[in-house]
């Protein structure tokens, strides 16, 4: 616990209280975004019996296009319902969504036979498109929108 104190004690201390989501064993879904546009969903499935979703741990990555019927519910709900609330919830109302970023989702309970999703992480500090160079024109268009204030 002494080691953890550096993260939770003092003026800059932080603690995130998130309930355990037992479906984590099914993996997580990483939604890759360029500004407000979803570009890919990667289902990071842990190796049998594990919960780690890293390639090094043996996880398998399955890529889906945003329009894939398996991902439409997640993307539609996030982009059209939740995304406009993200920056204000972070105290950054009026600031643009990052240019290139990801959101990782963990599966929640099913409601009326449909999956629910919980954001486990946002990442905009070490995300790139080095393996998807075909996305560069979309990045350029989004950068121009952000820079010109025509969001």
């Amino acid at each position: 616990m002494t080691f953890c104190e550096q993260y939770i004690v003092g003026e800059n201390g932080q603690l995130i209280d998130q309930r355990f989501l037992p479906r984590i064993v099914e993996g997580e879904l990483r939604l890759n975004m360029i500004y407000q546009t979803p570009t890919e969903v990667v289902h990071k499935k842990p190796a049998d019996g594990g919960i780690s979703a890293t390639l090094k741990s043996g996880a398998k990555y399955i890529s889906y296009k945003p329009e894939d019927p398996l991902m439409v519910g997640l993307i539609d709900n996030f982009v059209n319902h939740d995304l406009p609330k993200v920056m204000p919830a972070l105290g950054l109302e009026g600031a643009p969504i990052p240019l290139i970023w990801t959101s990782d989702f963990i599966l929640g309970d099913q409601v009326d036979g449909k999956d629910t999703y919980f954001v486990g992480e946002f990442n905009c500090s070490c995300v790139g498109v080095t393996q998807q160079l075909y996305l560069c024109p979309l990045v350029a268009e989004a950068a121009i929108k952000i820079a010109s204030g025509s969001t």
Side-chain angles (χ1 to χ4, degrees), residues 11-54:
E11 188 174 309
N12 294 317
Q14 300 177 44
L15 178 65
I16 296 174
D17 183 13
Q18 180 176 333
R19 75 177 177 106
F20 176 70
L21 298 165
R23 292 185 69 193
I24 188 65
V25 297
E26 297 175 47
E28 60 185 12
L29 299 164
R30 171 162 290 166
L31 176 57
N32 294 324
M33 299 284 293
I34 295 177
Y35 189 45
Q36 298 173 342
T37 304
T39 61
E40 177 183 39
V41 178
V42 179
H43 188 176
K44 299 164 43 172
K45 292 184 169 190
D48 288 342
I51 61 170
S52 176
T54 64

Side-chain angles (χ1 to χ4, degrees), residues 91-134:
L92 297 168
E93 191 162 1
I97 294 285
L99 177 60
I100 302 173
W101 60 287
T102 67
S103 183
D104 290 351
F105 295 88
I106 301 170
L107 289 157
D109 299 330
Q110 288 195 338
V111 176
D112 298 326
K114 295 182 181 179
D115 286 324
T116 59
Y117 305 90
F118 289 84
V119 171
E121 172 183 348
F122 292 117
N123 187 351
C124 60
S125 63
C126 58
V127 182
V129 293
T130 57
Q131 301 298 313
Q132 301 94 359
L133 294 178
Y134 64 91

